[in-house]
Amino acid sequence: MNETLTRALSGAVYILLLLSCILFSETTFLWLFGLFMAIGVLEFCKLVKLHFIIPLILAIVGFSIFYKSNFKPVYDSILTFCCFFVSVKLLFFLFYKKEKKISSLEKWIYLIGYIIIPFIIITKIPIGVKGYNPKILIGIFVLIWTNDTFAYVVGKSFGKHKLFERISPKKTIEGFFGGLLFSVGMSFLIAIHYIETSNVNIWIGIAILVSIFATLGDLIQSKFKRIAGVKDSGKIMPGHGGLLDRLDSIIYVAPYIFLYYQILKYVS
C-alpha cells in the first residue's frame, strides 16, 4: 500500500477512535486513556531500556487510584508538583548538549513524571463545573493539531531560521510562530462556536500554552528517540510510528493546562 495512503488511513483511525471514545461517555474516555497510558509505558520502557513489568503494574495501580475527578485536591496538587519537577528536569535534559546516558534513577523519574502522572492529569482536564465535558479535551486536541499543522506549513513555506537543529532539523522559528498565530486564531473559534463561552481569553491562554509546551514535548520525545537511536517510539500506528509519537505534545502540556485551570479557579 502507498505510504501516504497508509499514513492517512492510520491517522484517520486514530482520530476516529480518539474522538468517539471522548464523546461517547466518561467511561469510554477513561478506558481509552488508561489503554493509551499502558501502551505509552511499554513504548517508553523500550526506548530507555527499562524492564516493563513493574512500570506497567505501577502505572495501572496509579491510574486506578488517582484518576477520579473527586479525589482530594491536595493530591492533585502533589501530582502537579511532581510533574513540574520532572518537566524542569526534562528541559535540562533537552538542552544538555552532550548525549549523556540516562541513569537508572532518571529512567524511573521520567517514567513517573513524564508518562504516568501526565496521563492521570489528562483524565482530570475535561471535568468542568457541571461534570464531564468532552468539549474541553477535544478543543485542546484541536489546538495541538492546529499548532502542529501550521508550524509545519509555515515552516516549510517560509522557514529560514532553525528552532533546534541539533534535535529536530526541520523545525523553524518561523514555523513555531506560525503555529502559535493560527492556534490563537483557532482558540477564538473554539471558544465562541464550540465551547460557547464569552470568555475567549481563557482559550487564548490555552492556545499559547499549547504552542509553547507542545513544541517542547515534541522536542523532548525526539531527544529520547535520538539517544535510543530509533526513528519512532513504536510501530503501533503504520506510517506514524508509536503512540508516544502522537501523544508527546498532550502529555507534556497537560500539567500546565491543569495548573492554569486551577489558577483561574482560585482567582475567580
Side-chain angles (χ1 to χ4, degrees):
M1 187 182 292
N2 181 277
E3 185 177 347
T4 303
L5 180 59
T6 300
R7 183 178 175 85
L9 290 174
S10 178
V13 170
Y14 162 71
I15 292 174
L16 181 62
L17 177 65
L18 182 73
L19 296 182
S20 59
C21 286
I22 292 174
L23 286 169
F24 187 75
S25 71
E26 184 177 3
T27 300
T28 54
F29 156 67
L30 291 172
W31 274 102
L32 179 68
F33 275 84
L35 177 62
F36 279 177
M37 182 199 61
I39 296 171
V41 166
L42 294 175
E43 290 184 352
F44 183 77
C45 287
K46 187 176 180 180
L47 274 181
V48 300
K49 296 180 174 58
L50 190 67
H51 199 274
F52 69 88
I53 293 180
I54 294 177
L56 191 58
I57 293 172
L58 179 65
I60 293 171
V61 171
F63 191 85
S64 301
I65 293 174
F66 290 105
Y67 79 89
K68 290 188 176 182
S69 59
N70 60 352
F71 216 72
K72 291 182 179 179
V74 64
Y75 292 108
D76 288 346
S77 299
I78 292 172
L79 292 176
T80 308
F81 174 79
C82 290
C83 271
F84 282 116
F85 168 77
V86 177
S87 178
V88 172
K89 184 170 176 57
L90 283 168
L91 289 178
F92 281 101
F93 165 75
L94 174 63
F95 289 104
Y96 193 79
K97 290 185 178 180
K98 294 182 180 179
E99 304 276 333
K100 72 169 186 174
K101 184 179 179 181
I102 304 173
S103 70
S104 296
L105 177 60
E106 287 175 324
K107 291 177 183 179
W108 284 97
I109 290 173
Y110 295 147
L111 171 73
I112 295 170
Y114 172 59
I115 304 294
I116 297 175
I117 297 179
F119 272 106
I120 294 171
I121 286 177
I122 289 171
T123 67
K124 300 173 183 296
I125 288 177
I127 308 301
V129 292
K130 296 181 180 180
Y132 179 63
N133 183 356
K135 290 185 176 182
I136 295 173
L137 191 58
I138 289 176
I140 293 169
F141 269 106
V142 169
L143 287 177
I144 289 173
W145 296 334
T146 300
N147 181 69
D148 288 348
T149 300
F150 286 98
Y152 172 78
V153 171
V154 174
K156 190 173 180 62
S157 303
F158 306 104
K160 294 182 180 179
H161 303 88
K162 300 297 182 182
L163 181 65
F164 204 154
E165 189 172 12
R166 179 163 52 88
I167 300 299
S168 186
K170 294 182 180 180
K171 290 188 185 299
T172 64
I173 295 173
E174 292 85 356
F176 168 76
F177 283 106
L180 174 61
L181 181 64
F182 278 93
S183 294
V184 170
M186 179 60 74
S187 71
F188 278 90
L189 298 178
I190 291 172
I192 296 171
H193 298 292
Y194 187 58
I195 303 297
E196 297 179 340
T197 177
S198 58
N199 202 339
V200 178
N201 290 335
I202 291 177
W203 280 89
I204 292 176
I206 293 175
I208 294 171
L209 289 174
V210 162
S211 293
I212 295 171
F213 293 104
T215 301
L216 287 170
D218 184 64
L219 289 170
I220 288 166
Q221 179 65 10
S222 295
K223 179 74 177 281
F224 277 117
K225 290 187 290 186
R226 187 181 185 87
I227 291 176
V230 297
K231 181 182 177 183
D232 300 314
S233 64
K235 298 180 180 179
I236 195 170
M237 294 180 62
H240 290 269
L243 191 67
L244 287 181
D245 294 318
R246 301 277 62 82
L247 296 175
D248 51 11
S249 297
I250 185 68
I251 62 173
Y252 194 74
V253 77
Y256 290 92
I257 293 175
F258 187 63
L259 177 63
Y260 177 60
Y261 271 168
Q262 299 310 306
I263 292 172
L264 291 174
K265 184 178 179 181
Y266 177 78
V267 171
S268 62

